[in-house]
Amino acid sequence: MTNSSPASTDSPPEIDPAAEPTRETESRDVEAAAKRAKAEKIGRYVAMFVMPLLMVSMLVGGYLAAMHSPAPHNLPVAVSGSAQQADSFAEALESADADGIEVRIVDTADDARQLVLDREVASAVALGDGTATLYTAGAAGASQASTVTAMLAPQVLASGLSLQTEDIAPLPAKDMAGLGAMFMTTALMLAGYMPLSLALSNSPELMRFRRFVPLLAGWSALISALVWTVVGPVMGIVEGHTAAVLGICWLAVFAVGSVQLFLTRILGPMAVLIGMLFLMVLGVPSSNMSMSVHTMPGLYPFLHSFLPAAATGESLRSVLYFDGNGAGRHLMVLVIGAVAALLLTLGIDAAKRRRKPDAKPLAVNVASLHGGPRPKSRAWRYVTLGFLPLTMVVMMLSLMLGAMYQPTPRDMPVAVVGATAEQAEQAVAGLEENMSGLFDLRAMDSADDARDQVRDRTITAAYVLPSAENPASTLISNQAAGISAQQVVNRVFTQVAAGQQMELTTQDVAPLPTMDSMGMSTMYLAMGWIMAGFMIIIVGSTAQPASRPLRKLVPIVAGWAVGYSALLWVIVDVFVGAIDGHFLALWGAGVVAIFCVGMFTAVLERLIGMLAILPAIGILMFLGIPASGAAMSIYMEPEFFRVLHGFLPMPAAVESIRSILYFGGDTVGSHLLTLGIWGAASLVVLVIMDRIRPPRDTAWPVDDAPVEPAPERAEEKELAAV
């Protein structure tokens, strides 16, 4: 019988000639995809380190370069008087400090006064018959007024003239340090540029020109109303000028937002670094609000003429203290900047449309700010976007400005030293009648013991009464422990000695070095440590979510702390020259501070995602800086901050640096223990949290539902088997 069945199954299958090239193509595609994934992974880790490195380095290096050792440079001063008298005095001033002072001779004392009111000069000297009147304007800058007085007063006295001083534009009692306009300016700059970086990453559809401009106008109105409400009705720092203040605040936010929109068009996400550089790192020092630009390097007076922070601060100062005199030219800077930025943005958008009419919309890089899946409601997403910078502004004004805008001594510890305990107690009783609540006066009978307590920062100063061996009173103070406290006790006890008709001599147990004459290096190096700790977590959680599991996070943060603490020392010592030496001690303390702050921030990030930046900055910076005593003595702030001084990381970092630089490391151990407790407690909490709910190590998808991995194709299975 003939077998008519189909061909035997043992025969080899037919091979499609086109199959092999297809498999080779797919293999190459898989390899290319793997290379792209690897490159993306590396790029995300690089971004995790590069962004905080650039941000913190710019801030610390920029601020310290501007303010660590202020010295007058071409400080403008007007002189009036008879021709011979004015010429002779001007020549004496320029001979004493040719680079520090720029003298303008005017005809009359009224002309000199007006130049001061116009802020064309920092001070004026009106010469008369045997007298000289020194005119200053405290509202034009408290530090500038004190600097120019210290320069001119000795020259007046050396000329044989009696000196009279007059502050023709004093600061109000509710803002005696002039910090109101400065913090308003900083908050407005922050509110202008910060929302754009968030919107670009989370909701790029808001960056379309026709949608963005009206949103920016509304946002500017909201921020201006908020800033005015906090500093005006709530805190009472600003009184009157409501319409003008609201208008300046609106224009400032709108102008900064417009410029930042233009920068995002040409630089994308990197625009946040450029904005931070010109608005904060260079802008705040050159604003002339915290320190006179004439005491900074020559770059800053130039930047003062066109940067928005300077234009905003000077406009507010003009309206609040000088009846609007001089505001016009600063407002024009903001107007021109806003108009130019918007026109340039329109031009860039038109060019892009011509080049790519079917361009894809911008990609979403951050699905959500709260650490969970992307909100389904656009309204909720937009509310979250606004909530973050809005809360940041409120915290800055209420916490930092609220702590420092009325710097009055409150129970500042000062020893009164007599030959006997009874003499000291009698002196204390007499002083407390006139200074109740200002100082915590402590009777002592040993000047050496008092000096030791001043040195170890147990007390702020010691007032030693005259004795048979020393007929003059002596004031012992400690500049390195805090220059603001020293200035207060010097001023008050100079008046006390004058009232008692006694000569006063001063002794400083730890004067600051010339390279850090304001003690700024302590504060900014500590800020660098704290910022490096929380920035690596905030940036890393979004740039590289794979770093979030604890087994990866701990070595990453530890390595970052080791490397960046060394780099910060190089910036502050080698590049800026604000400190000298102490590498090992500062490096070790910085490693501890950065790591412990990173662990604390990681706990917050586990709970609320990127919004952790709010409690992190609120606790570590906005509460930490006033409580540290670095910018202002804790005895000149509300008592609440005195309590926080012993617990928060920022004060521990500041006191560690201060102890290492100026006091032989006498108290470093206790402050490192404070930092260690924060770090260890946070690490324990992280372990517990991760055991309960392991952290997500991939980014949330842009759509509402998590993306499931695609099923593996048959061809990929075969390639995997091979």
Side-chain angles (χ1 to χ4, degrees):
M1 177 179 290
T2 307
N3 186 356
S4 59
S5 62
S8 172
T9 56
D10 294 335
S11 58
E14 296 183 3
I15 298 177
D16 185 356
E20 290 300 327
T22 302
R23 290 184 180 181
E24 291 178 3
T25 302
E26 291 177 348
S27 176
R28 286 195 298 269
D29 291 344
V30 171
E31 291 176 359
K35 289 181 179 179
R36 287 194 299 270
K38 183 178 180 180
E40 181 182 355
K41 181 179 180 180
I42 294 173
R44 286 180 173 273
Y45 274 114
V46 170
M48 177 180 179
F49 292 105
V50 169
M51 290 297 285
L53 185 147
L54 293 176
M55 286 183 173
V56 180
S57 300
M58 283 196 309
L59 186 73
V60 174
Y63 276 37
L64 272 180
M67 298 186 285
H68 75 99
S69 182
H73 301 289
N74 299 321
L75 192 68
V77 173
V79 177
S80 69
S82 65
Q84 182 178 358
Q85 192 179 26
D87 288 341
S88 176
F89 187 74
E91 184 178 348
L93 287 178
E94 292 179 340
S95 298
D97 192 349
D99 296 329
I101 293 180
E102 178 184 302
V103 181
R104 305 182 190 180
I105 298 177
V106 296
D107 295 332
T108 67
D110 289 337
D111 293 339
R113 284 173 57 96
Q114 191 59 48
L115 285 175
V116 175
L117 290 173
D118 293 340
R119 280 96 70 214
E120 295 293 330
V121 296
S123 178
V125 180
L127 303 172
D129 293 332
T131 64
T133 303
L134 177 62
Y135 298 112
T136 58
S143 67
Q144 177 174 275
S146 61
T147 297
V148 74
T149 300
M151 294 180 66
L152 297 181
Q155 294 299 321
V156 170
L157 297 176
S159 301
L161 303 172
S162 62
L163 176 65
Q164 298 177 351
T165 61
E166 182 181 349
D167 188 346
I168 57 179
L171 286 162
K174 291 186 177 180
D175 187 21
M176 62 181 69
L179 297 178
M182 184 190 80
F183 275 100
M184 289 172 68
T185 299
T186 306
L188 294 170
M189 297 299 103
L190 183 69
Y193 86 90
M194 186 178 181
L196 278 90
S197 61
L198 297 174
L200 183 65
S201 300
N202 179 259
S203 300
E205 69 275 6
L206 298 179
M207 304 298 289
R208 297 170 186 163
F209 189 88
R210 293 184 179 180
R211 179 178 294 183
F212 177 82
V213 173
L215 281 174
L216 177 60
W219 172 255
S220 303
L222 176 62
I223 291 295
S224 62
L226 177 67
V227 169
W228 174 82
T229 300
V230 173
V231 299
V234 174
M235 302 178 70
I237 298 174
V238 172
E239 294 181 349
H241 313 286
T242 302
V245 170
L246 287 172
I248 292 170
C249 293
W250 182 92
L251 179 59
V253 178
F254 188 83
V256 171
S258 299
V259 172
Q260 197 65 18
L261 175 68
F262 165 68
L263 292 176
T264 58
R265 288 293 199 268
I266 58 177
L267 299 174
M270 297 301 291
V272 66
L273 293 175
I274 304 302
M276 182 179 177
L277 175 63
F278 286 100
L279 297 173
M280 306 298 288
V281 174
L282 296 175
V284 171
S286 67
S287 67
N288 200 40
M289 304 306 291
S290 62
M291 189 178 291
S292 172
V293 292
H294 296 292
T295 62
M296 300 179 189
L299 171 68
Y300 292 90
F302 169 70
L303 296 175
H304 179 263
S305 62
F306 65 87
L307 285 185
T312 302
E314 295 290 5
S315 298
L316 289 170
R317 179 180 276 165
S318 297
V319 167
L320 294 175
Y321 309 129
F322 296 95
D323 296 324
N325 180 21
R329 65 180 184 271
H330 299 296
L331 292 175
M332 283 304 299
V333 171
L334 297 175
V335 171
I336 293 171
V339 172
L342 293 177
L343 290 176
L344 288 170
T345 303
L346 281 173
I348 290 174
D349 288 352
K352 287 182 177 180
R353 282 194 300 270
R354 286 195 301 269
R355 190 168 62 252
K356 293 182 179 180
D358 299 324
K360 295 180 180 179
L362 293 174
V364 175
N365 295 319
V366 179
S368 68
L369 301 181
H370 64 280
R374 188 170 178 81
K376 296 180 180 180
S377 169
R378 281 193 175 188
W380 173 250
R381 178 154 42 93
Y382 296 159
V383 167
T384 308
L385 276 177
F387 173 76
L388 200 155
L390 201 69
T391 307
M392 195 86 75
V393 168
V394 172
M395 288 195 302
M396 174 185 291
L397 294 175
S398 59
L399 297 179
M400 290 191 68
L401 179 58
M404 296 187 284
Y405 76 100
Q406 289 185 319
T408 303
R410 298 173 176 88
D411 296 322
M412 184 177 287
V414 174
V416 178
V417 183
T420 64
E422 291 77 11
Q423 182 194 19
E425 289 171 357
Q426 290 176 358
V428 167
L431 291 171
E432 284 182 340
E433 291 180 1
N434 299 320
M435 297 190 298
S436 178
L438 298 180
F439 296 96
D440 175 14
L441 298 175
R442 307 173 183 183
M444 297 183 67
D445 59 3
S446 171
D448 291 336
D449 291 345
R451 185 176 289 103
D452 290 341
Q453 290 193 22
V454 172
R455 183 180 296 277
D456 65 23
R457 287 89 77 205
T458 302
I459 57 177
T460 302
Y463 181 60
V464 183
L465 299 171
S467 62
E469 294 80 10
N470 185 7
S473 299
T474 303
L475 182 65
I476 305 171
S477 62
N478 189 336
Q479 188 181 47
I483 195 169
S484 61
Q486 187 195 49
Q487 290 171 342
V488 167
V489 295
N490 280 351
R491 183 174 65 249
V492 171
F493 285 93
T494 297
Q495 295 172 356
V496 169
Q500 297 172 341
Q501 296 183 341
M502 290 186 295
E503 181 185 353
L504 179 70
T505 61
T506 60
Q507 296 179 9
D508 192 340
V509 299
L512 288 167
T514 305
M515 68 180 69
D516 186 28
S517 58
M518 299 297 291
M520 288 289 183
S521 62
T522 301
M523 180 173 72
Y524 285 111
L525 181 55
M527 284 177 60
W529 290 352
I530 300 299
M531 289 182 64
F534 73 73
M535 286 295 293
I536 191 67
I537 300 297
I538 298 297
V539 174
S541 64
T542 54
Q544 180 51 287
S547 67
R548 297 181 73 227
L550 208 54
R551 68 182 186 279
K552 293 183 179 179
L553 187 66
V554 169
I556 285 175
V557 176
W560 164 255
V562 169
Y564 195 68
S565 179
L567 178 60
L568 266 182
W569 180 88
V570 171
I571 292 172
V572 176
D573 184 294
V574 179
F575 293 156
V576 177
I579 63 174
D580 183 18
H582 306 282
F583 169 72
L584 287 178
L586 289 173
W587 171 70
V591 170
V592 174
I594 294 171
F595 181 81
C596 294
V597 168
M599 292 299 100
F600 169 67
T601 309
V603 173
L604 300 176
E605 192 277 328
R606 292 284 200 271
L607 296 173
I608 53 176
M610 193 174 177
L611 291 179
I613 196 171
L614 291 176
I617 288 185
I619 295 170
L620 299 169
M621 303 293 284
F622 294 157
L623 286 174
I625 290 176
S628 71
M632 184 177 293
S633 171
I634 56 174
Y635 296 106
M636 298 166 66
E637 301 170 349
E639 188 174 354
F640 170 66
F641 292 94
R642 207 177 308 168
V643 175
L644 294 179
H645 182 79
F647 300 99
L648 291 183
M650 181 68 182
V654 166
E655 294 295 355
S656 296
I657 298 168
R658 183 175 282 160
S659 176
I660 291 169
L661 290 179
Y662 308 123
F663 302 102
D666 57 351
T667 62
V668 171
S670 61
H671 300 301
L672 290 183
L673 179 62
T674 299
L675 292 167
I677 291 172
W678 278 82
S682 300
L683 193 55
V684 170
V685 173
L686 282 172
V687 171
I688 296 172
M689 292 175 68
D690 287 6
R691 283 185 178 271
I692 295 173
R693 183 181 179 183
R696 184 184 179 89
D697 60 358
T698 58
W700 286 99
V702 174
D703 56 4
D704 296 331
V707 175
E708 296 295 331
E712 197 173 18
R713 292 180 297 179
E715 292 86 353
E716 293 176 4
K717 288 183 179 180
E718 292 184 51
L719 287 171
V722 172

